C-alpha cells in the first residue's frame, strides 16, 4: 500500500493534464505524506491484520516489517527529493493556478523569485496582484443567462 500511494502519485505527476506548477505541488504533497508515514511508522489498515497474524505465529518480527518499511520510505523520499530539486521554485508560485489566493507576503516573495530569475523583467507587484485578483474573480464566477454561478 505504501507503493500504491507512490505509484499513483507518480502517474498523476507525469500525466499530460498537469502543468509544471501542479506537478511540483503533487511532488511536495507526496514528500510530506511519505515523511509523515515514515516518521509515524504507519502500518496500513489492510496490512495490520496480516502482520499481526504473522507476528503472533512467529513467522515475522515487527522490527523486520519496520526495517523494510523504512527502507522503502527512505528510497522513495530520496528519489522524490532528487526529482523535486528543480521544482521547488515552481511550487512557490502555485497561486497562479487560482486554487486559492496567496497572502500578500507569499505573493511578494514569489514575485521576487520570478524577478530574480529574469532580470530583464520588471514586475509591478500591485498591478500583477490586481490582475490576478480579477482573473481569480472571473475564474470563480461564470455568468449563465444573466445568473452568476459559483463552480
Amino acid at each position: 500500500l505504501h507503493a500504491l500511494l507512490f505509484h499513483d502519485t507518480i502517474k498523476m505527476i507525469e500525466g499530460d493534464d498537469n502543468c509544471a506548477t501542479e506537478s511540483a505541488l503533487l511532488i511536495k504533497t507526496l514528500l510530506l505524506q511519505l515523511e509523515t508515514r515514515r516518521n509515524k511508522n504507519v502500518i496500513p489498515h489492510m496490512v495490520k491484520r496480516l502482520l499481526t497474524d504473522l507476528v503472533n505465529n512467529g513467522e515475522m518480527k515487527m522490527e523486520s516489517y519496520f526495517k523494510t518499511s523504512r527502507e522503502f520510505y527512505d528510497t522513495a523520499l530520496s528519489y522524490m527529493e532528487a526529482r523535486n530539486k528543480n521544482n521547488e521554485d515552481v511550487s512557490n508560485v502555485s497561486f497562479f493556478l487560482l486554487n486559492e489566493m496567496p497572502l500578500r507576503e507569499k505573493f511578494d516573495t514569489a514575485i521576487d523569485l520570478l524577478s530574480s530569475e529574469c532580470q530583464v523583467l520588471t514586475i509591478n507587484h500591485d498591478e500583477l496582484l490586481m490582475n490576478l485578483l480579477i482573473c481569480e474573480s472571473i475564474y470563480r464566477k461564470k455568468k449563465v443567462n444573466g445568473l452568476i454561478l459559483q463552480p
Side-chain angles (χ1 to χ4, degrees):
L1 293 177
H2 303 308
L4 185 61
L5 167 70
F6 183 77
H7 178 263
D8 288 349
T9 305
I10 294 296
K11 281 177 35 181
M12 288 190 311
I13 290 166
E14 293 178 348
D16 292 335
D17 297 335
N18 294 332
C19 67
T21 304
E22 290 167 320
S23 292
L25 289 173
L26 286 168
I27 290 172
K28 190 179 257 188
T29 301
L30 179 60
L31 280 166
L32 289 172
Q33 287 174 325
L34 292 172
E35 285 175 8
T36 300
R37 287 178 176 209
R38 180 193 62 189
N39 294 341
K40 290 187 175 187
N41 287 322
V42 170
I43 302 173
H45 181 70
M46 292 175 62
V47 173
K48 196 176 278 188
R49 196 169 100 200
L50 177 61
L51 181 60
T52 301
D53 289 345
L54 290 171
V55 169
N56 289 342
N57 294 333
E59 298 173 46
M60 182 178 218
K61 293 187 179 190
M62 194 65 88
E63 296 81 25
S64 175
Y65 170 81
F66 285 124
K67 181 179 182 250
T68 302
S69 179
R70 182 163 291 278
E71 286 172 0
F72 166 79
Y73 282 123
D74 289 344
T75 302
L77 283 165
S78 177
Y79 172 78
M80 293 309 298
E81 285 166 354
R83 189 167 183 165
N84 193 43
K85 199 174 212 172
N86 297 321
N87 288 338
E88 194 57 38
D89 292 342
V90 175
S91 66
N92 289 331
V93 293
S94 62
F95 55 83
F96 284 121
L97 295 173
L98 299 178
N99 292 333
E100 61 184 45
M101 290 307 296
L103 298 174
R104 179 63 192 241
E105 182 180 324
K106 188 173 181 179
F107 174 82
D108 287 337
T109 301
I111 299 308
D112 289 341
L113 171 70
L114 289 174
S115 296
S116 72
E117 294 295 320
C118 184
Q119 278 94 25
V120 297
L121 187 63
T122 304
I123 300 175
N124 180 317
H125 291 224
D126 293 328
E127 264 185 53
L128 183 58
L129 182 60
M130 183 58 66
N131 287 326
L132 190 61
L133 289 169
I134 291 168
C135 289
E136 196 270 344
S137 168
I138 292 168
Y139 174 76
R140 296 273 178 230
K141 297 177 184 176
K142 298 183 191 297
K143 284 189 176 183
V144 177
N145 295 332
L147 299 174
I148 297 177
L149 304 175
Q150 300 291 337

